[in-house]
Amino acid sequence: MSWNFLDGLDIIVNVLELFGSGSGSGSRSTSDRKSLNYDEKPQKKSSRRSKYFTEKVSAGLIAATAFFFLIVFKDPLPAGNYTQTLVVTSLIGVVISFVVFFILHVMELYYFKNIFKLLLFSCSVIAFFISVVMYSYFRSGWFI
């Protein structure tokens, strides 16, 4: 009497179908077939965001950016290698903002209906993270 692994697996699948379907029939209903279609995206709840949500977030980020840049640049920068420091802090801010953009893209929240909203939001986020990195760099006192 030879035992085949696939026969045992078939018995397990049949038992799971028996208990999982609710009825004793082996066929699945059309709603079960529709729920297994992996090509379609699930229906999302309609969110009630305001009409100018992107513009409001961008304006808030630009205001915070202006505040941080005002604090950073009100005193003169240290004399040694300030150009290199500005370039490095800008690159760190750009990398952090690209990570944020990637996370928003994965969460499917990085979608804009026109190019101007995309540019406004993206530039304000990049400027915000550059200003935050510069603020933390110059105000922490660790690097100076």
Side-chain angles (χ1 to χ4, degrees), residues 3 8 15 36 45 62 66 68 74 83 103 108 111 130 136:
W3 180 75
V15 169
L36 293 177
K45 298 180 209 174
I62 290 171
F68 285 128
K74 78 175 178 179
T83 306
I103 291 170
E108 295 179 357
Y111 171 75
I130 289 172
S136 63

Side-chain angles (χ1 to χ4, degrees), residues 48-144:
R48 295 292 300 164
R49 294 192 325 192
S50 68
K51 184 176 180 180
Y52 299 109
F53 179 75
T54 305
E55 288 85 354
K56 289 178 185 177
V57 170
S58 298
L61 289 174
I62 290 171
T65 301
F67 176 73
F68 285 128
F69 277 146
L70 181 71
I71 291 173
V72 168
F73 291 117
K74 78 175 178 179
D75 296 330
L77 297 176
N81 294 332
Y82 65 90
T83 306
Q84 180 182 359
T85 303
L86 293 178
V87 169
V88 169
T89 55
S90 297
L91 287 175
I92 292 171
V94 168
V95 168
I96 292 171
S97 62
F98 283 162
V99 169
V100 169
F101 295 149
F102 179 73
I103 291 170
L104 289 174
H105 174 71
V106 168
M107 293 172 47
E108 295 179 357
L109 296 173
Y110 196 68
Y111 171 75
F112 300 95
K113 291 188 178 183
N114 59 23
I115 191 72
F116 300 111
K117 285 185 179 183
L118 172 77
L119 288 175
L120 177 67
F121 180 75
S122 299
C123 291
S124 64
V125 168
I126 290 170
F128 174 73
F129 280 113
I130 289 172
S131 67
V132 166
V133 169
M134 282 186 186
Y135 176 78
S136 63
Y137 184 82
F138 288 114
R139 291 297 167 189
S140 68
W142 293 348
F143 308 105
I144 299 174

Side-chain angles (χ1 to χ4, degrees), residues 14 17-28:
N14 288 336
E17 282 183 1
L18 179 68
F19 289 120
S21 66
S23 64
S25 67
S27 65
R28 295 184 177 188

